[in-house]
Structures are given as C-alpha cells and as structure tokens.
Amino acid sequence: MIELEVYACGLRTNDCILQLQSQMDIIPEARYKVDANHDLVYFEIDQPGTITQRQIARVFEVIGLEPRFVGQIPAGIPLGEDTMRLE
C-alpha cells in the first residue's frame, strides 16, 4: 500500500469537494480522505503502478485547482505522461 498527500489551495471553497468526489470516480484504485480545514487530500493506493502522478494531478486541475504533492512521492507511483507515443 502506498500513501500520498496532496495540497490544493482553495479546496475548501465553493463546491470543490463535491467536484473532487465526482472526479475521483474515474480512479477507483485510490481511496482518499479530504481534510477541508487544511486543503489536503490523503490518498491510499493498494496496487503500486496502477495510477500515475499525472492522473492524480489531473483530477485537481479539471476542477481548477493546482495540486502540490506533499513530502516525497513514493517510488511505486510513476510520473505518467500527457501524451501517448505514436507507433
């Protein structure tokens, strides 16, 4: 199991938490808990390598927040890419 913490300034404003919940439906591999008082989201991922840092960041970017990973990112979470290589 991998644990990851993300800070997203403005998470507690308006309906960002509800939007986050709907975005997290597309990443069923991750469990999460929101600390709205501190704009933090704690993630737990059972299977390393099934989700990338880019996928996690994208969840926040879609709702207009800038995610910042707190602490050292575990080695089991690959960076991921924005584009796919053409064959």
Side-chain angles (χ1 to χ4, degrees):
M1 181 175 73
I2 293 176
E3 295 178 352
L4 183 68
E5 189 174 327
V6 177
Y7 171 76
C9 183
L11 180 65
R12 64 183 118 175
T13 60
N14 299 328
D15 60 341
C16 286
I17 294 175
L18 292 175
Q19 291 178 17
L20 177 69
Q21 286 177 330
S22 67
Q23 286 297 314
M24 285 303 297
D25 290 341
I26 62 174
I27 306 177
E29 304 90 6
R31 291 184 305 277
Y32 69 100
K33 185 167 113 177
V34 177
D35 179 354
N37 292 329
H38 299 101
D39 291 338
L40 290 170
V41 180
Y42 302 96
F43 290 94
E44 288 182 352
I45 303 163
D46 288 330
Q47 302 271 325
T50 58
I51 187 171
T52 65
Q53 294 174 36
R54 187 72 197 126
Q55 287 174 309
I56 294 171
R58 190 80 186 126
V59 166
F60 293 94
E61 292 166 354
V62 166
I63 61 176
L65 300 176
E66 181 182 341
R68 295 186 184 145
F69 292 95
V70 177
Q72 186 174 359
I73 298 173
I77 300 180
L79 179 59
E81 297 184 24
D82 289 335
T83 59
M84 294 174 50
R85 183 175 293 220
L86 297 174
E87 299 288 328

